[in-house]
Amino acid sequence: MSASLNAAVATATATVVDPACAEPLAVLGRDVTVPLVTGGEVTYAALDYAASAPALQRVWDDVAAYAPYYGSVHRGAGYLSQLSTDLFEQSRVTVAEFLDCRPTDQVVFTRSTTDSLNLLAAVLPADCQVFVFETEHHASLLPWVEAHVTYLNAPRTPAEAVATLERALAHRDPHGPALVCVTGASNVTGELWPVKELAAAAHAHGARIVLDAAQLAPHHPVSVQELDVDWVAFSGHKLYAPFGSGVLAGRADWLQQAQPYLAGGGASRKVARREDGGVDVEWHTTAARHEAGSPNVIGVYSIASACKALTEAGFDHLVARERHLIAKVREGLAEVPAVRILSLFGDDAPRVGVISFVVDGWNSSHFAAALSAEYGIGVRDGLFCAHPLVRTLLGSEPQAQGECGAPEAAPGERSLNAIRVSFGAGTPDEHVERFVRAVKELVADGAKWQYRTEEGRCVPAV
C-alpha cells in the first residue's frame, strides 16, 4: 500500500469502537420508502447485499464530481480525454493496492466476477486441468467447459476441503497445467473458506489458484500476497459500486500468452494489411490486451472509489460491526424452532453477513414475498445461482436442475429453494431487528395477506 493508504488504515483502526454504537456507512437508498399491502409506507430495509450492495454515498459523490469531465480513454489528445485516461489508469493502481497485488501482477477491468472468470477460462493453456468444488456460485462453477474439469464434492469442514483438494490434485497429470477455483466466502451460507491453505495445497501440487472474492472483498481485506493466490476476481456491484464493472487481478503470463478475450480497438497495438489481403495484428501485452472497446470509465472509477472508502473506514471496524449484526440475526433466528439455517461448516464457522434458511411449513418464495409486501424488507429466495450447493444443503439431488432464483412450487407446497438475508457496511441495526421481528411474527401468526403465483413469482393477490 502507499504511505497515504497506510496512514488512512492506521487512523481508521486506531480507535476501538463499540460495534453496537457504530454508525453504518452512508449508502444510497437509505431513506427510500415503500408501500405495504396492509396500508401505509415504511423505510425500505435492503437485506439483499449478496446480490447487489447499494452504492456508497462516497462513491456516488466521487462519480458525480467526475461526470462533467467524462471523456474517451486512451484515444484523445484533448484535456478531458487525458484527464479520463489518467483517472482510469490511477484506478488500476488503487485496485492493485486494495488487493495487495504483487508488483508484476496485472489488473484487468471486466464487467463482473462472471466476466472475469470467463476471461480466465478463455486464456487457460491447452490441456489445463481445472478443479472446482460443487459449492461454487455458477460464475465460478460453469466457465471451464473447454477444460478438463474435476468437480469436487461439498466438504463439511474447512480441513475436509483442503484434504479433498489434496487427494484430487495427487491424482492429476503432473506434467500439464492445472487451476483450482475456490470461493472466499459462500454466497449461500456466508462461511469463509480456507483460501490460504487451499492455495498452499494447489501450489504444492504444481497448480495455480483463482479466488472468487465477490462475497469476500466487500466484507474482509483481501491480500493476494498473504493468501498467495494467483488471481482474484470480484464485482463492483457487490463492493458498493454498482456500475457494471469487475476485476481480474493476478499473474500476467497466461494473460499475455493467450489471444485477446475480445478482438478490437484498444487490445491491438498495431494492425497492418498483408499482401495476401489479410491483416497482421500485434496485440498489447499489458492489461489492455483483454480490454478491447471503449472501457466503462465510470464503473472503473466507482470501484476505485469504493476501494478507497472501505480502506479509509478500516476493515477492523467494518468486520466488528458486521459480526455484531450477524450475531443479532443468528440469535434471533435461533429463537424460532421452525427456522433452519443452512450451513456447511457448522455454527461456529467464521462468516460474512450472508445467511440462508428455510422455514418449516412455508414455501420460501411465499415467505420472502410476505417479508417484502407486509414489512418492507427485501431478501432473496431461490437457489442463489449455486444450485448444487443449495440442493445439497436441502437434502436433494445436487445434479437436479432449476431456474435460478425462481420458486418451484405454489405457496404452502414444499419447494427446493431457500431464503437468503444479507447485509453489510451500510446496514443499520433497525433493519436486521425489523427482519427478526418479522420472521417471528410470520411464523407465529401467518401472513396477513393472500398470495398467488404469477409468472413464476409469488406475489400479493390483488
Side-chain angles (χ1 to χ4, degrees):
M1 288 188 183
S2 67
S4 61
L5 284 178
N6 273 325
V9 172
T11 300
T13 59
T15 302
V16 177
V17 179
D18 180 357
C21 302
E23 290 294 320
L25 299 187
V27 295
L28 297 184
R30 58 191 179 276
D31 298 323
V32 167
T33 59
V34 294
L36 302 179
V37 293
T38 52
E41 292 186 341
V42 68
T43 303
Y44 184 64
L47 297 179
D48 194 16
Y49 276 47
S52 281
L56 287 170
Q57 184 67 54
R58 153 76 177 273
V59 171
W60 190 261
D61 291 344
D62 283 351
V63 168
Y66 161 66
Y69 302 91
Y70 175 83
S72 175
V73 174
H74 298 147
R75 286 167 172 76
Y79 178 81
L80 298 190
S81 179
Q82 292 296 305
L83 185 148
S84 295
T85 298
D86 288 345
L87 179 143
F88 185 82
E89 292 303 330
Q90 184 56 47
S91 294
R92 205 186 303 275
V93 174
T94 298
V95 171
E97 291 175 342
F98 180 74
L99 295 173
D100 189 27
C101 288
R102 295 166 291 257
T104 56
D105 285 342
Q106 285 188 348
V107 173
V108 181
F109 290 117
T110 66
R111 294 178 297 175
S112 60
T113 307
T114 301
D115 196 34
S116 295
L117 293 170
N118 274 271
L119 162 57
L120 186 59
V123 306
L124 293 181
D127 302 321
C128 187
Q129 302 168 79
V130 177
F131 298 83
V132 56
F133 287 93
E134 67 171 356
T135 47
E136 293 292 310
H137 185 282
H138 294 171
S140 47
L141 185 74
L142 301 180
W144 322 106
V145 291
E146 299 299 326
H148 174 68
V149 187
T150 299
Y151 294 104
L152 308 175
N153 292 335
R156 288 296 180 168
T157 66
E160 184 183 341
V162 177
T164 297
L165 178 62
E166 287 180 331
R167 284 194 301 271
L169 290 172
H171 292 92
R172 82 173 187 91
D173 177 1
H175 302 294
L179 178 71
V180 175
C181 180
V182 66
T183 190
S186 171
N187 79 303
V188 176
T189 67
E191 292 164 319
L192 300 180
W193 277 62
V195 176
K196 188 171 184 178
E197 291 79 2
L198 290 167
H203 293 152
H205 291 275
R208 297 189 181 190
I209 186 168
V210 56
L211 168 63
D212 176 351
Q215 300 296 340
L216 183 63
H219 303 273
H220 282 262
V222 174
S223 168
V224 167
Q225 296 193 69
E226 181 180 345
L227 295 173
D228 197 22
V229 294
D230 298 280
W231 292 276
V232 60
F234 70 88
S235 294
H237 71 101
K238 315 283 192 189
L239 197 79
Y240 311 100
F243 295 99
S245 283
V247 168
L248 177 68
R251 299 196 181 279
D253 53 350
W254 286 6
L255 294 167
Q256 292 174 345
Q257 294 162 11
Q259 289 296 304
Y261 183 45
L262 297 173
S268 54
R269 183 175 178 274
K270 181 179 180 181
V271 181
R273 288 293 302 272
R274 297 196 306 264
E275 291 184 2
D276 63 6
V279 295
D280 288 323
V281 183
E282 179 182 335
W283 303 106
H284 280 294
T285 58
T286 63
R289 185 184 189 89
H290 299 290
E291 295 176 344
S294 295
N296 180 0
V297 184
I298 293 290
V300 166
Y301 183 46
S302 71
I303 287 180
S305 173
C307 289
K308 289 181 180 178
L310 293 175
T311 300
E312 291 167 6
F315 271 106
D316 287 350
H317 164 82
L318 298 175
V319 169
R321 188 172 188 284
E322 185 170 302
R323 286 174 179 163
H324 162 72
L325 296 178
I326 292 170
K328 271 183 177 285
V329 174
R330 289 181 61 85
E331 290 168 7
L333 294 181
E335 296 172 357
V336 187
V339 170
R340 177 167 70 91
I341 295 177
L342 305 183
S343 176
L344 270 177
F345 300 154
D347 290 343
D348 296 332
R351 64 193 73 234
V352 299
V354 179
I355 299 168
S356 296
F357 63 98
V358 291
V359 183
D360 291 344
W362 284 81
N363 168 265
S364 293
S365 177
H366 186 195
F367 201 90
L371 285 172
S372 175
E374 300 178 26
Y375 296 92
I377 298 170
V379 297
R380 181 62 58 109
D381 66 281
L383 299 175
F384 318 127
C385 291
H387 295 183
L389 171 56
V390 178
R391 292 180 181 280
T392 294
L393 295 173
L394 294 177
S396 63
E397 292 298 323
Q399 70 271 23
Q401 297 180 351
E403 184 180 351
C404 184
E408 300 172 356
E413 297 180 1
R414 183 176 185 273
S415 176
L416 295 176
N417 60 345
I419 306 152
R420 183 182 70 192
V421 56
S422 52
F423 41 87
T427 305
D429 283 47
E430 189 276 329
H431 286 187
V432 299
E433 290 165 358
R434 191 198 318 170
F435 165 76
V436 170
R437 287 196 306 270
V439 170
K440 292 179 178 179
E441 289 180 12
L442 285 172
V443 171
D445 305 328
K448 300 180 181 70
W449 206 261
Q450 294 296 313
Y451 295 82
R452 60 187 174 85
T453 300
E454 179 179 292
E455 297 181 353
R457 297 296 311 167
C458 188
V459 298
V462 179

